RNA sequence: GCCGCCGUAGCUCAGUGGUAGAGCGCAUCCUUGGUAAGGCUGAGGUCGGCAGUUCAAUCCUGCCCGGCGGCACCA
């Protein structure tokens, strides 16, 4: 009996797959296609357990679908532009390009060691000039279509990274990478008109039925579509001639209006402040506070009465005061509102504070119009409109429509849809990114380059010793000539947000060597991605941008699909216990020794026996030092054990806690599986297989197949563990020919069932028992539904709901026959002594319950 | 405040309207030429709490408690 040795076995099979070119994706019209993609990694230089989990999950799907006859595309690439390379350049004086490609080489080797079924012939990095040059080409196409534009705008400026951030990259007022408090700056910026697609991006979420509900809700909230009315108030007396435009989603409550409010940054507020020092002081106060989201949320509502009045749109004799209020946002709607305190909590808080009228106009069902009052809580529910002239008696929706119609007829405004989503600012003041292919000419202004001038590549000698944009500092690179007039011009030195790089890479994988950015025929075959896998942290960043770019490129005729990812799976994190010394320093798991006494665990520092505090299990991170290096695990237990463990211990969407005991358990399983295959004799004869094991095998195939289909990988693995115990209970040693035959059938199935999880072990086992070819070429095992059911059922017998015994009956036995067996059973009869049977409930093949008194 | 997920053995998690499961850990024993290893056996659970529906609830329904995540002055 030879011990299983992954160090020899695993590289051997990886070489065999490579030699056979097993994972090359081939567009085969005779077979259905399946595109599996995991979010591509940033090449930090080292693989972490999160990668191991992410790519193992995708590999299970890819191998499973291949075995089921699909033509599978499972590619890999590198999200390779970005700040870490520039930081490394600044800190260590290395060249960012060389640094990045060295990291890629290291990580590629590690990923290959994982034994992933990837078509490496399609690999590319976003920093390859062959890739970003194509990105420049479609950037120009979108510029042509008016989807890319330049504007001066107030932007989020990260003072640490010295670059602009998109709204999506600002979290709680801080840069998502640097954590620095973001400042506001006015800059000339490139932007993409994602807002042109806001409606489609919202509507099409409904078609993404294989996305997690959670992600769809997050995107819907982020886009924030609302339908309402934009209209103008006319001033009574003093005030700008053009009036004051407001936006509302509640035109039905117009007769409950109490005042009109504008944001502190609103032009009207600024105009008032120019003449009124008190107003100026108030605005200054509004600007002072409100640095972080948390402060904005808790800030008290304050306001300033400008003294201006506007006329109510439906009653020229009714005048409303105009206030400046801190709770109104300039960058949403028109920065001005009409307030109906009875039916909006913010307006109500404000009205109560400043003694403004509160007039209810929506009457909840069951309330009386004469007595209904609003106290400290605004009524926002449905009801009948009252106190509202021509709207009286209508429900909320009808009144909205009627009010909008009246305003439109008066020429004061129109029904409008407003979004929270802003255009996507894509300029970054960084050198290590995709250069924006335009020049600035003194005579012609901003001039896009012709495609013949592409790619616009980086210079090789960028100098990174200082912060800021090294591309802009370069002595010669930016100086060029204008393609229009031939005069002197300077290149744009901003580069594109790296989220642009990742917004179309999945389409490039269809044919990464194509002349055009996207090989349409290839993309038509492979897209959309059937199963996309990655972390939930990209729910509104990458996943929204990729959807937008897909739609924009589809409208430009470069793609046929309008959604890039038909299925999305968001996997959980890999966590580990945290350990701290008495002085609070974090300690790495490998420095800690754990002692188990009964049910309590004690930790000490291996080096000196100092006690260590065991903390919660948290996401593996450098800062808390609770990481486990994949390569060290591979070295001790092999790749298969590591893959198996990250998938066995939790459902894929949940966090998985890494423990040394857990991986040892997986390692033992690997060995026990091998023992079982190794114990099977080479010649098993041709006997009729023993039926019990045979049934168990078919049941197993059914269960594991369904578990993989529904992303319950841990559950499938649990079934495999159980089945191995069953095989051990039916050993080859001393087995009858019938049992040996059943074992052979079981093992042939088992090797294929474990292949998606532990592919190297599967090959070794398959070869050991004489499987034909390699497992990667074998069909997924089928099962006979009739054999997944037991021939004889053990039925528990309950008396008054409590288990009192069991009987055996043939599968599918009729209730009357079962009842007879039960009543003939002496043990049951004893339990029923002195009782009258009122009812016997027989659930076919499941259970019997006797109700007796 | 709103929405979602979760609560089952000491730990991490499966599971089902009808006999409560796995891995790890723990205990006993065996093996001592797989040996910083292997194997056998076992203990351990009012399935978060309280009601309801049902012949029968860990599972369905409602309320409550606890944990996690997302959104939130968006008119």
């Amino acid at each position: 009996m030879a011990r299983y040795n992954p160090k020899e076995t695993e590289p051997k099979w990886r070489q065999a797959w490579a030699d056979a070119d097993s994972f090359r994706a081939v567009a085969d019209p005779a077979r259905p296609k399946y595109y599996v993609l995991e979010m591509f990694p940033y090449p930090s230089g080292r693989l972490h357990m999160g990668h191991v989990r992410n790519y193992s999950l995708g590999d299970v799907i890819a191998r499973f679908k291949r075995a089921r006859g699909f033509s599978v595309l499972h590619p890999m690439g590198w999200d390779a532009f970005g700040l870490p390379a520039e930081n490394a350049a600044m800190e260590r004086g290395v060249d960012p390009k060389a640094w990045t490609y060295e990291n890629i080489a290291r990580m590629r080797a590690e990923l290959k060691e994982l034994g992933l079924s990837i078509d490496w012939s399609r690999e590319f990095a976003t920093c390859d000039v062959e890739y970003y040059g194509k990105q420049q080409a479609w950037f120009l196409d979108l510029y042509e279509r008016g989807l890319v534009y330049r504007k001066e705008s107030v932007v989020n400026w990260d003072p640490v990274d010295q670059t602009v951030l998109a709204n999506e990259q600002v979290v709680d007022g801080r840069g998502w990478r640097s954590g620095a408090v973001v400042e506001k700056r006015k800059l000339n910026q490139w932007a993409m008109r994602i807002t042109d697609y806001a409606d489609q991006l919202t509507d099409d979420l409904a078609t993404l039925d294989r996305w997690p509900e959670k992600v769809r809700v997050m995107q819907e909230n982020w886009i924030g579509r609302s339908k309402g009315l934009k209209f103008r108030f006319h001033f009574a007396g003093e005030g700008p001639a053009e009036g004051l435009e407001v936006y509302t989603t509640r035109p039905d409550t117009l007769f409950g209006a109490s005042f009109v409010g504008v944001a502190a940054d609103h032009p009207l507020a600024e105009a008032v402040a120019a003449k009124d020092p008190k107003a100026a002081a108030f605005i200054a106060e509004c600007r002072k506070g409100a640095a972080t989201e948390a402060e904005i949320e808790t800030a008290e509502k304050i306001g300033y009465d400008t003294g201006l009045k506007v006329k109510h749109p439906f009653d020229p004799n009714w005048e409303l005061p105009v206030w400046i209020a801190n709770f109104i946002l300039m960058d949403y709607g028109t920065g001005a509102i009409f307030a109906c305190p009875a039916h909006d909590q913010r307006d109500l808080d404000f009205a109560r504070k400043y003694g403004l009228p509160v007039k209810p106009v929506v009457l909840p069902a069951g309330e009386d119009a004469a007595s209904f009052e609003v106290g400290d809580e605004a009524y926002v529910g449905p009801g009948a409109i009252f106190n509202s002239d021509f709207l009286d008696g209508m429900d909320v929706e009808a009144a909205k429509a009627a009010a909008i119609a009246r305003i439109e007829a008066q020429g004061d405004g129109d029904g409008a849809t407003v979004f929270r989503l802003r255009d996507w600012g894509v300029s970054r003041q960084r050198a290590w990114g995709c250069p924006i292919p335009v020049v600035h000419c003194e005579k012609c202004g901003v001039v896009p380059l012709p495609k013949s001038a592409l790619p616009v590549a980086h210079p090789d000698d960028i100098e990174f010793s200082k912060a800021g944009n090294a591309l802009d500092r370069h002595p010669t690179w930016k100086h060029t000539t204008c393609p229009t007039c031939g005069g002197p011009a300077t290149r744009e030195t901003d580069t594109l947000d790296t989220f642009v790089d990742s917004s179309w890479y999945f389409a490039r994988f269809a044919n990464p060597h194509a002349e055009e950015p996207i090989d349409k025929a290839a993309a038509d075959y492979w897209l959309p991605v059937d199963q996309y896998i990655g972390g939930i942290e990209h729910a509104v960043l990458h996943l929204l941008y990729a959807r937008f770019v897909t739609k924009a490129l589809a409208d430009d005729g470069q793609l046929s699909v309008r959604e890039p990812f038909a299925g999305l799976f968001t996997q959980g994190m890999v966590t580990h216990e945290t350990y701290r010394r008495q002085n609070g320093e974090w300690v790495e798991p490998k420095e800690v020794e754990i002692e188990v006494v009964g049910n309590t665990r004690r930790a000490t520092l291996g080096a000196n026996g100092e006690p260590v505090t065991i903390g919660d299990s948290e996401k593996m991170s450098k800062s808390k030092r609770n990481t486990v290096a994949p390569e060290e695990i591979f070295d001790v237990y092999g790749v298969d054990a590591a893959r198996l463990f990250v998938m066995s211990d939790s459902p894929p969407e949940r966090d998985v806690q890494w423990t040394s005991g857990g991986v040892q358990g997986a390692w033992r399983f690997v060995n026990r599986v091998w023992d079982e295959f190794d114990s099977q004799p080479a010649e098993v004869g041709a006997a009729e297989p023993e039926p019990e094991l045979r049934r168990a095998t078919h049941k197993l195939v059914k269960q594991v197949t369904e578990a993989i289909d529904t992303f319950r990988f841990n559950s499938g693995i649990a079934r495999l563990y159980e089945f191995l115990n069953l095989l051990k209970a039916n050993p080859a040693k001393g087995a009858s020919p019938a049992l040996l035959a059943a074992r052979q059938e079981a093992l042939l199935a088992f090797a294929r069932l474990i292949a998606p999880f532990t592919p190297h072990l599967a090959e070794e086992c398959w070869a050991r028992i004489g499987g034909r070819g390699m497992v990667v070429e074998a069909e997924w095992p089928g099962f006979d539904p009739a054999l997944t059911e037991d021939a004889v059922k053990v039925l528990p017998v309950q008396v008054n709901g409590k288990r009192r015994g069991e009987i055996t009956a043939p599968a599918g036995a009729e209730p009357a026959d079962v009842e007879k067996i039960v009543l003939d059973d002496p043990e049951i009869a004893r339990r029923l002594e002195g009782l009258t049977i009122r009812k016997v409930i027989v659930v076919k093949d499941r259970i019997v319950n006797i109700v007796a008194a």
Side-chain angles (χ1 to χ4, degrees), chain A residues 133-342:
Chain A
K134 306 301 177 192
Q135 182 164 302
Q136 291 167 341
W138 68 250
F139 178 90
L140 292 171
D141 293 331
L142 295 197
Y143 181 84
E144 194 77 1
R145 295 184 70 81
L147 288 172
V148 173
Y149 65 103
R150 195 171 150 84
K151 63 167 180 183
E152 179 167 82
S153 58
V154 178
V155 296
N156 306 304
W157 177 261
D158 186 320
V160 170
D161 285 347
Q162 300 223 347
T163 188
V164 168
L165 298 177
N167 288 342
E168 289 83 346
Q169 293 161 351
V170 179
V171 180
D172 290 337
R174 291 172 182 274
W176 72 304
R177 292 202 76 105
S178 71
V181 174
V182 166
E183 299 166 4
K184 296 285 178 194
R185 283 202 185 179
K186 246 182 189 174
L187 286 176
N188 257 315
Q189 291 294 300
W190 290 94
M192 293 203 190
R193 286 193 205 279
I194 191 171
T195 54
D196 275 13
Y197 287 85
D199 258 320
Q200 282 184 46
L201 287 167
T202 302
D203 290 341
D204 291 352
L205 285 172
T207 68
L208 300 175
D209 57 343
R210 289 200 297 118
W211 278 41
E213 173 70 15
K214 190 181 187 173
V215 175
R216 290 193 308 226
V217 168
M218 284 166 77
Q219 290 213 357
E220 199 174 335
N221 288 342
W222 186 264
I223 299 165
R225 177 164 70 188
S226 82
K227 291 194 170 158
L229 168 70
K230 264 187 197 171
F231 71 98
R232 260 166 220 294
F233 279 106
H234 302 288
F235 283 92
E238 213 184 318
E242 70 271 18
L244 176 63
E245 187 175 46
V246 301
Y247 173 72
T248 180
T249 56
R250 293 301 301 271
D252 56 308
T253 63
L254 260 169
F255 284 98
S258 164
F259 63 97
V260 170
V262 300
D265 301 333
H266 195 280
L268 182 68
E270 283 169 7
V272 170
K275 285 186 263 177
D276 179 351
K278 278 195 200 158
F282 175 79
I283 291 168
E285 200 188 327
C286 287
R287 286 189 181 149
K288 205 165 49 188
T292 70
E293 296 269 335
E295 282 168 26
I296 293 167
E297 283 161 34
T298 54
E300 196 188 345
K301 290 177 181 50
I302 50 173
Y304 179 82
D305 186 352
T306 63
L308 298 171
K309 305 276 187 199
V310 293
K311 297 182 209 166
H312 193 280
F314 298 145
D315 180 357
N317 298 318
W318 179 2
E319 294 186 357
L320 298 167
V322 179
W323 288 67
I324 301 168
N326 67 335
F327 70 92
I328 300 167
L329 309 172
M330 189 56 222
D331 61 0
Y332 183 79
T334 63
I337 62 159
F338 93 83
C340 174

Side-chain angles (χ1 to χ4, degrees), chain A residues 39 80 118 259 304 375 424 545 562 585 619 652 688 819 837:
Chain A
M39 290 180 186
I118 282 168
F259 63 97
Y304 179 82
W424 176 18
Y545 298 141
R562 299 199 66 83
E585 261 177 41
K619 180 180 183 177
E688 187 67 19
E819 191 172 330
I837 297 174

